[in-house]
Amino acid sequence: MVTHARPVERTVALRHAASAAGELAAALSDQAPAVAGEALQAESTSQSYFRVREKELSDQQAALHGVLVIHRALQDLCETPLSGGDLALELAGMRQAIVDLTGATPGTSRDLDATANVPEPSTRASSEDVWSARWLIGHQVHVLFNVCAAVAVADAAARLRQSDNDAALRRLADATTYVRGFPAAMTHASTVPADYYMAAIRQTMAPPSVDVPLSGRQHRGYKLFRAAMNDLLSVVPDSYEHLVARAPELAQARGALLEADIIDGERHVTLAYSMVHLHRSLAQKPEGPDNAVAELRLMRHRRAAQYASLIRFGDHYIADAVAGLRHK
């Protein structure tokens, strides 16, 4: 696979993908120009910082802005030392986003694997500028995946309510692709030296650089995804044993999505440790755990406890422990 090829071969393939995405963005832009996002009011400090805005868009405009995010990310990935495994997961999420946003299907001229005349990269910016830009680019991919996953999960829940199980299974698979891409996109964003992050980037996300410390709680796209997940589980709340007995494919599809969600939480813990070690998070409350890693680990445990009875290999030890703490 190209994602695990030697560096030169991998870079050439990524440049082809970036060129194809650029051509698709140009074609979509010919239909209607992009919305000037910076002219829109940011609804949170996080939106302002990460250059993200919310607005009702036509299907064409939504596709254009999604493809623009993907195009910038592919250009950056040409020089990002991301692991082959994470690259494969991020590219899968990008490919699914193009399918969902444009209606393209693999094998058409709009697929990311399309070949084109690939220009040589432009004059290199300084490493520091590349790292700072990468921090924003990777987070924008994460936001795109969050929103697309929220839509896919909501679609799956709606299909289940209509007893359209085949369509629901397809949308659950699409959502799982996005959720598996969550930690890959975050790792992409964090593929900068930890020392540089601590010295130059981290301080830009806290006062006095911004009004309030940035926090994942401010990400509306992620809130939409979590709300969609809760709605899905209200439609299919059955334990794994009960669900697999009556609808084995649905049990497996739901389980794959929930497992991906747990893994996202686990990888957030390890990623935070690699970047900030045992420092407190920027937005941590005084009564919270001692450091960011501990707080993220608690979030992982709560998620694993919630899903313990819903997946085949649930973490029942954690579920019992969390239940005991709540009882106290």
Side-chain angles (χ1 to χ4, degrees):
M1 296 176 65
V2 170
T3 54
H4 291 71
R6 287 174 292 187
V8 172
E9 295 169 343
R10 186 171 104 158
T11 300
V12 169
L14 285 168
R15 286 179 187 164
H16 278 298
S19 181
E23 291 187 357
L24 176 56
L28 290 167
S29 184
D30 287 341
Q31 299 175 30
V35 176
E38 294 295 326
L40 301 176
Q41 181 69 34
E43 297 186 8
S44 70
T45 303
S46 176
Q47 283 191 358
S48 178
Y49 180 89
F50 288 110
R51 315 292 198 272
V52 174
R53 298 292 189 273
E54 289 186 32
K55 180 180 174 61
E56 289 291 331
L57 299 173
S58 67
D59 290 345
Q60 176 273 334
Q61 288 175 322
L64 172 57
H65 283 275
V67 172
L68 287 172
V69 169
I70 290 170
H71 181 223
R72 287 190 293 269
L74 286 168
Q75 289 178 313
D76 184 63
L77 284 170
C78 291
E79 299 183 1
T80 303
L82 195 63
S83 73
D86 276 331
L87 180 59
L89 293 173
E90 187 171 359
L91 291 179
M94 291 178 177
R95 186 176 291 107
Q96 187 60 51
I98 287 181
V99 169
D100 285 348
L101 290 170
T102 70
T105 55
T108 70
S109 60
R110 290 186 174 184
D111 187 34
L112 278 182
D113 292 329
T115 58
N117 294 322
V118 183
E120 287 298 315
S122 58
T123 304
R124 291 175 179 267
S126 69
S127 293
E128 290 80 6
D129 288 343
V130 169
W131 293 333
S132 294
R134 180 171 298 150
W135 180 248
L136 299 181
I137 290 168
H139 275 87
Q140 289 177 351
V141 174
H142 191 259
V143 170
L144 176 65
F145 287 178
N146 282 176
V147 173
C148 288
V151 172
V153 173
D155 285 350
R159 296 296 186 178
L160 288 171
R161 287 189 173 97
Q162 298 165 4
S163 299
D164 188 353
N165 280 16
D166 289 342
L169 291 174
R170 289 193 295 271
R171 292 306 274 155
L172 286 173
D174 296 343
T176 302
T177 297
Y178 290 124
V179 178
R180 287 173 177 163
F182 286 2
M186 288 303 298
T187 302
H188 176 184
S190 304
T191 307
V192 303
D195 290 346
Y196 178 78
Y197 169 79
M198 291 296 292
I201 296 179
R202 198 167 193 256
Q203 64 187 7
T204 67
M205 298 187 291
S209 297
V210 291
D211 294 336
V212 296
L214 299 191
S215 165
R217 302 182 188 93
Q218 299 173 7
H219 295 323
R220 179 168 163 78
Y222 193 63
K223 290 180 181 178
L224 291 172
F225 170 69
R226 296 252 64 93
M229 291 291 284
N230 289 335
D231 183 50
L232 173 69
L233 296 183
S234 74
V235 179
V236 277
D238 319 53
S239 69
Y240 176 80
E241 288 75 13
H242 289 161
L243 187 59
V244 78
R246 70 173 179 84
E249 290 183 325
L250 179 57
Q252 292 170 10
R254 184 190 67 175
L257 175 61
L258 299 185
E259 288 279 11
D261 198 23
I262 294 174
I263 293 298
D264 177 45
E266 292 174 348
R267 291 199 59 193
H268 204 165
V269 173
T270 57
L271 182 59
Y273 182 77
S274 71
M275 300 298 286
V276 303
H277 197 44
L278 298 180
H279 289 277
R280 292 176 67 83
S281 74
L282 294 173
Q284 203 161 340
K285 297 179 180 178
E287 66 273 15
D290 290 335
N291 55 64
V293 169
E295 184 163 333
L296 289 167
R297 189 175 288 128
L298 286 178
M299 292 169 62
R300 177 271 171 200
H301 290 337
R302 287 193 290 267
R303 194 175 301 171
Q306 179 188 5
Y307 296 164
S309 66
L310 306 178
I311 58 179
R312 185 178 181 185
F313 302 108
D315 193 341
H316 296 287
Y317 293 103
I318 287 295
D320 291 344
V322 170
L325 289 173
R326 287 174 177 165
H327 179 70
K328 291 179 180 180

